[in-house]
Amino acid sequence: VQLQASGGGLVQAGGSLRLSCAAAGRTSFNSVIGWFRQAPGKEREFVAAIRRGSGNTYYADSVKGRFTISRDNAKNTVYLQMNALEPKDTAVYYCAADNNMIQSSIRTSRMYAYWGQGTQVTVSS
């Protein structure tokens, strides 16, 4: 599975961005696509994830209510709509996928087999 992330940029605090993650290759009904982010000097952290078949979504507490993850299975693309952005959201955002993800591992980056390149999101104050 190849993943292509896009949509990052520079935005003022309170603004919005939409990230896209286009997947190519074999995915399954049970596949999970997740978004992670990594700020300078910090560990990579879970942001959100969605299960391809059921559409079930999962969020980090820090983004709940501000970010929305969605998918378009026809386009094999997952979106991350980010609203009310804050400077602390500044990071490189990565999308990741796995075809055999169990629910208890969804928030764990090392459990994802496939990764896209990152896209930079910078939120100015």
Side-chain angles (χ1 to χ4, degrees):
V1 178
Q2 294 82 43
L3 303 173
Q4 180 74 36
S6 62
L10 172 64
V11 64
Q12 288 189 330
S16 298
L17 282 174
R18 188 177 81 157
L19 305 184
S20 299
C21 178
R26 181 172 295 182
T27 57
S28 69
F29 183 84
N30 205 38
S31 294
V32 169
I33 304 274
W35 286 97
F36 291 79
R37 66 187 181 186
Q38 188 166 19
K42 294 189 175 181
E43 292 189 356
R44 192 168 297 188
E45 65 173 357
F46 172 77
V47 176
I50 188 166
R51 198 171 288 279
R52 184 177 180 272
S54 66
N56 287 349
T57 57
Y58 309 85
Y59 295 96
D61 289 343
S62 59
V63 306
K64 204 171 292 183
R66 300 187 299 124
F67 292 10
T68 302
I69 190 169
S70 61
R71 90 260 196 245
D72 183 336
N73 287 343
K75 295 182 178 179
N76 230 8
T77 300
V78 168
Y79 304 98
L80 183 68
Q81 177 67 43
M82 306 186 295
N83 297 330
L85 282 162
E86 304 170 2
K88 67 179 182 180
D89 295 316
T90 295
V92 178
Y93 283 69
Y94 299 89
C95 62
D98 197 273
N99 288 333
N100 299 289
M101 182 66 70
I102 60 175
Q103 186 166 333
S104 61
S105 297
I106 281 176
R107 291 172 169 79
T108 306
S109 61
R110 61 181 172 83
M111 301 304 290
Y112 286 76
Y114 308 102
W115 288 83
Q117 90 293 356
T119 185
Q120 177 71 46
V121 171
T122 303
V123 184
S124 63
S125 57

